[in-house]
Amino acid sequence: YLKVATPPEKRAAQTLLDALAALLRHDPKLQFDFLCKACHELRAAQRHAVLLRRRDARGRVAIVLQMLRQHQIDMGLPPRAPIAVPMPRIDIADYTALTPEAISRAFADLERRDYIMVARDRSVTITDEAAFAALVSGDVARPHAIAAG
């Protein structure tokens, strides 16, 4: 019988996985923290997949702003606080699979429609909560449906 050798990288990875599994079996808090982190990463991947399914640049930008807003809320800031946008538009373009020009046009369109206001420090204030929420949810045919419902 021929025995196929396992590549050293695979052996090293398996050794690390075995060590991690042993740690998790013996430390319930670490196991819980690891599970929380894995769930967090899965949720982030799901949100990114939802964002990429959107065809419109305006909707993709709105989802990114909503994700940034939710992060601020999770950090203890009020929901209506200006949204800090810590990354340049080229990074937003990379994350949304759009061009930087499309991102700039989407921001300008959101401002022109009075959904948002962009400050000099690049923070964003949502100026029409109902229309913004409808855009994020994909209910653009009825932008005020959320306010009425």
Side-chain angles (χ1 to χ4, degrees):
Y1 295 98
L2 278 178
K3 185 175 181 182
V4 178
T6 305
E9 298 84 13
K10 187 173 181 181
R11 283 194 306 267
Q14 187 60 51
T15 301
L16 290 173
L17 285 174
D18 292 344
L20 176 61
L23 278 173
L24 293 174
R25 275 194 297 278
H26 297 296
D27 189 339
K29 183 181 178 335
L30 181 62
Q31 186 179 45
F32 178 76
D33 291 345
F34 186 83
L35 181 60
C36 287
K37 181 64 177 169
C39 288
H40 173 76
E41 292 298 320
L42 181 57
R43 278 193 309 271
Q46 285 177 315
R47 283 191 295 267
H48 192 236
V50 166
L51 176 142
L52 292 176
R53 277 198 304 263
R54 290 292 293 265
R55 293 188 182 270
D56 60 315
R58 193 176 59 215
R60 288 184 187 193
V61 167
I63 290 172
V64 168
L65 291 173
Q66 182 60 32
M67 291 167 72
L68 291 170
R69 176 192 239 182
Q70 187 58 53
H71 176 71
Q72 287 185 180
I73 292 168
D74 294 347
M75 300 304 284
L77 290 170
R80 299 210 185 243
I83 303 165
V85 182
M87 72 282 276
R89 292 191 180 182
I90 193 162
D91 290 344
I92 297 171
D94 184 49
Y95 184 73
T96 58
L98 296 168
T99 65
E101 295 80 12
I103 296 299
S104 293
R105 285 192 302 271
F107 269 100
D109 188 43
L110 289 169
E111 268 195 298
R112 189 178 69 255
R113 293 171 184 257
D114 291 324
Y115 287 20
I116 65 170
M117 182 176 65
V118 180
R120 288 187 185 267
D121 66 355
R122 295 188 330 185
S123 65
V124 174
T125 301
I126 307 302
T127 53
D128 187 338
E129 291 286 341
F132 183 80
L135 181 60
V136 168
S137 71
D139 191 12
V140 293
R142 301 180 309 136
H144 297 286
I146 294 174

